[in-house]
Amino acid sequence: MNNISRHAEHADGTYFRQIGSYWGVIESLASLKLYSIILSLNFLTSLLASIMSHGHSCEDEHSHSHGGGEHNHDDDLTPAIQSSLYHYIEFDKITTFNEATPGTGKAIVKKTWEQRLDTSTILESDADEQLLIFIPFTGQVKLHSILIRASPSPDAPKTLKLFSNRDDLDFSSAADMLPVQTLDIPLHTGEDYIEIPVKRALFNNIHSLTLFIEENHSNGEEDTTSLSYLGFKGDFTRLRKDPVITLYEAAANPADHKNLVPGAQYGSMGI
C-alpha cells in the first residue's frame, strides 16, 4: 500500500507539474498575442495620422497655391498616354499612299504626345480625298483605340476602314475587300484629339494595321483630306526571335548504335 500511495503521489505531482508547464506556455502565448495586437494598433494609428496629414497638406496647397504655382502634380501620368503603342511602331516601315507631300504620313504618326497639337506638319491627300496608311508594329499588339486630330472642317476624315496583318493592299483591293471594322469619325470641334475605340476582340493578335480613309466630311465636295496627328493605344507583346534548331537523322546507321544493347547483334539477321 505504501508503494501504491507513493506512486500515486508521484503521478499527481507529475500531472500538476505538466499542468503548470502548459499554463506557462498559454500565458506566454497570450502575452505575445496581446503584444502583437498592441503593435498592430500602433501601426494603424501612425498610418492613419500620416494619411490625414498628407490629405490636409494637399488640400491646403490645392486651395491656396495653384495661383502661385507652388504645388502641382506634373509628374502624374497622363491617362491619355497610358497603354500607348508609340514605342512599338516601326516608323521607318510606315507607308502612305496618295499623300500630297512625301513623308507626312509617317511624320504625323511619329509625333510624340507632347507634339500632338503641333500643326506645322499635316498629312493631306493628293489626287482625291482617300488615304491609305500602313502601320507595322515591332511585336504582337492588342489594339484598343485610335487617336486622331484634325481640324473641324469638311476636309477632316469621316469614314475609316481598318485591316489587320495585310501589307499588300492598294486602293482597289481596300475598296473591294471587307474590312475588319469600319469607323465613323465625328467632326471634332475641340482643339485636342479624339479617341475612337475599336472592337478589341477583332484586333487581338495583330502585327500591322492598315487604315483606309475613304471619305471626308465634305460629302464629295472637297478632294483633300487632312489630319495632323495619329496615335494608337493597346497592349503589346514582344515577339521572340530566338531560332529553333532541330537536328534530323536522314537514316539510322546500325554501326552508330552497336553499343545500345550489350550482346545484341545488328544487321539483316539481327536487331
Side-chain angles (χ1 to χ4, degrees), residues 174-189:
D176 295 338
M177 188 178 298
L178 183 67
V180 178
Q181 187 178 357
T182 300
L183 302 175
D184 290 325
I185 307 173
L187 191 63
H188 187 52
T189 56

Side-chain angles (χ1 to χ4, degrees), residues 127-129 154-155 215-225:
D128 55 25
E129 60 185 327
D155 64 356
E215 298 174 329
N216 58 28
H217 282 272
S218 70
N219 295 321
E221 297 182 2
E222 292 284 344
D223 289 335
T224 301
T225 297

Side-chain angles (χ1 to χ4, degrees), residues 178-225:
L178 183 67
V180 178
Q181 187 178 357
T182 300
L183 302 175
D184 290 325
I185 307 173
L187 191 63
H188 187 52
T189 56
E191 295 183 356
D192 214 332
Y193 70 99
I194 56 174
E195 181 173 359
I196 307 170
V198 302
K199 294 180 180 179
R200 299 187 183 187
L202 301 178
F203 300 92
N204 248 344
N205 300 297
I206 68 172
H207 51 76
S208 69
L209 184 70
T210 301
L211 298 87
F212 176 37
I213 300 176
E214 191 173 36
E215 298 174 329
N216 58 28
H217 282 272
S218 70
N219 295 321
E221 297 182 2
E222 292 284 344
D223 289 335
T224 301
T225 297

Side-chain angles (χ1 to χ4, degrees), residues 3 19 147 150 165 176 200 209 240-241 247 259 261:
N3 291 334
I19 291 295
L147 313 179
N165 302 333
D176 295 338
R200 299 187 183 187
L209 184 70
R240 295 190 62 181
K241 298 183 179 180
L247 299 179
N259 293 324
V261 180

Side-chain angles (χ1 to χ4, degrees), residues 65 90 117 215 245 247:
S65 301
E90 292 194 80
L117 302 181
E215 298 174 329
I245 301 175
L247 299 179

Side-chain angles (χ1 to χ4, degrees), residues 34-54:
L34 181 60
Y35 182 70
S36 298
I37 293 174
I38 293 173
L39 287 179
S40 299
L41 290 176
N42 289 338
F43 172 76
L44 290 175
T45 302
S46 300
L47 181 62
L48 182 61
S50 175
I51 293 173
M52 294 295 291
S53 175
H54 176 74

Side-chain angles (χ1 to χ4, degrees), residues 94 96 99-110 121-123:
I94 293 175
T96 306
E99 58 182 353
T101 304
T104 50
K106 181 189 302 183
I108 67 165
V109 178
K110 205 170 182 178
T121 301
I122 296 177
L123 169 61

